[in-house]
């Protein structure tokens, strides 16, 4: 009796409709570089081979994962899988597609004709710090006091000054960030606010936008960016895979 051939692991990027056509030029993270589809019924998994000589986790693996998904997102609806998603080849159909076909189809229907855009914004620190100093008498007075004292003698005052500046930035960004989102919400069907990482971060929000309103949305972002030039650096990414608008598996 010949030995049973071991089944190859398969990398799954995401799910698309079974009648989708893959964009040209996709490059997978496996040694072959080939990206293909495995279909069942009305949905299909976008897959590739997997490196067998090392574990996944290199930056290039994540870049390849995101690049494939973002390329799919420019063409149509895609339900992204979280990195890294490796299953046995038979499990793509038996364990992923068969039991979840209706669920994935409903998700894809909800994303059809829509795309995610992610807007981040960060204060131009020098300009906004000047505003904070000019607008807050306590901060201004404490700053002058710190300047006149030695580093050791001013330690607690410097800590207090830092706390006051951070609080002032947080109050400012809460108002200004909410205003940015409020102005853009009419162009989106849904929004998801992500956690801000630093005091100078103003906004980090995902927008689900109808593709036929994409130009309107981008123009609105550009208009806000022009108003805030010199104070806030806005960065718009998209269309990208809609991670923020699908449930985590």
């Amino acid at each position: 009796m010949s030995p049973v051939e071991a089944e190859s692991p398969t990398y799954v990027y995401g799910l698309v409709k079974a009648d989708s056509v893959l964009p040209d030029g996709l490059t997978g993270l496996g040694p072959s570089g080939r990206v293909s589809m495995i279909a069942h019924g009305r949905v299909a998994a976008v897959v590739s081979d997997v490196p067998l000589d090392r574990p996944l986790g290199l930056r290039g693996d994540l870049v390849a994962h995101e690049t494939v998904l973002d390329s799919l997102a420019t063409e149509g609806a895609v339900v992204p899988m979280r990195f890294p998603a490796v299953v046995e080849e038979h499990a793509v159909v038996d364990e992923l597609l068969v039991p979840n076909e209706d669920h994935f189809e409903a998700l894809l229907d909800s994303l059809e004709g829509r795309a995610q855009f992610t807007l981040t914004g960060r204060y131009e620190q020098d300009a906004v710090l000047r505003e904070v100093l000019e607008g807050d008498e306590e901060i201004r007075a404490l700053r002058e006091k710190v300047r006149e004292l030695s580093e050791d003698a001013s330690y607690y005052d410097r800590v207090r000054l830092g706390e006051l500046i951070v609080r002032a930035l947080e109050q400012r960004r809460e108002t200004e960030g909410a205003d940015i989102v409020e102005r853009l919400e009419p162009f989106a069907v849904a929004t998801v606010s992500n956690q801000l990482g630093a005091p100078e971060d103003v906004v980090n929000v995902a927008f689900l936008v109808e593709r036929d309103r994409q130009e309107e949305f981008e123009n609105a972002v550009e208009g806000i960016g022009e108003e805030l030039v010199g104070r806030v650096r806005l960065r718009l990414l998209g269309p990208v895979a809609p991670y923020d608008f699908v449930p985590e598996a």
Side-chain angles (χ1 to χ4, degrees):
M1 180 182 298
S2 60
V4 177
E5 185 177 342
E7 190 173 4
S8 300
T10 300
Y11 193 88
V12 183
Y13 298 88
L15 296 310
V16 296
K17 291 288 185 70
D19 60 358
S20 300
V21 177
L22 294 181
D24 293 333
L26 292 183
T27 302
L29 52 74
S32 75
R34 181 171 176 267
V35 178
S36 60
M37 295 195 314
I38 297 175
H40 170 78
R42 302 177 300 277
V43 296
V46 179
V47 303
S48 74
D49 55 353
V50 180
L52 299 178
D53 58 346
R54 61 172 178 83
L56 291 176
L58 297 178
R59 184 177 183 277
D61 297 333
L62 179 58
V63 170
H65 173 88
E66 293 178 342
T67 300
V68 168
L69 284 168
D70 290 346
S71 297
L72 294 169
T74 64
E75 300 292 326
V78 57
V79 174
M81 298 290 285
R82 304 283 165 172
F83 178 85
V86 180
V87 299
E88 295 298 326
E89 188 173 2
H90 79 275
V92 175
V93 173
D94 296 345
E95 299 178 18
L96 182 63
L97 298 181
V98 170
N100 298 297
E101 180 183 0
D102 291 342
H103 172 63
F104 289 145
E105 184 182 29
L107 278 176
L108 288 165
D109 285 342
S110 72
L111 297 169
E112 195 67 47
R114 298 169 174 175
Q116 175 174 327
F117 291 82
T118 300
L119 179 68
T120 59
R122 173 168 285 201
Y123 280 129
E124 298 281 7
Q125 199 167 46
D126 290 345
V128 177
L129 282 176
R130 281 197 302 270
E131 293 178 10
V132 169
L133 291 170
E134 292 169 1
D136 191 302
E137 185 176 345
E138 182 181 5
I139 290 177
R140 191 165 60 251
L142 192 57
R143 185 167 182 258
E144 291 302 318
K145 180 181 177 181
V146 165
R147 282 178 169 176
E148 296 171 359
L149 297 174
S150 68
E151 187 171 330
D152 289 341
S154 65
Y155 174 77
Y156 292 106
D157 287 326
R158 285 187 288 109
V159 171
R160 175 62 177 161
L161 178 61
E163 291 173 345
L164 290 174
I165 290 174
V166 168
R167 185 182 306 167
L169 286 174
E170 288 175 344
Q171 293 172 344
R172 187 176 293 259
R173 77 179 185 184
E174 184 175 340
T175 300
E176 294 190 321
D179 178 67
I180 292 171
V181 176
E182 183 177 350
R183 291 175 61 180
L184 293 174
E185 279 181 328
F187 302 96
V189 296
T191 62
V192 173
S193 295
N194 298 304
Q195 187 172 358
L196 300 176
E200 61 268 26
D201 290 340
V202 182
V203 64
N204 184 346
V205 178
F207 296 85
L208 190 62
V209 179
E210 298 280 2
R211 290 182 185 273
D212 59 8
R213 299 201 71 186
Q214 177 176 333
E215 185 175 356
E216 284 183 85
F217 174 76
E218 291 175 333
N219 288 341
V221 172
E222 185 175 351
I224 294 172
E226 290 173 355
E227 292 176 20
L228 297 176
V229 68
R231 294 188 66 255
V232 179
R233 298 192 308 275
L234 293 181
R235 185 184 183 203
L236 184 65
L237 298 177
V240 296
Y243 288 106
D244 290 290
F245 299 98
V246 299
E248 286 198 38

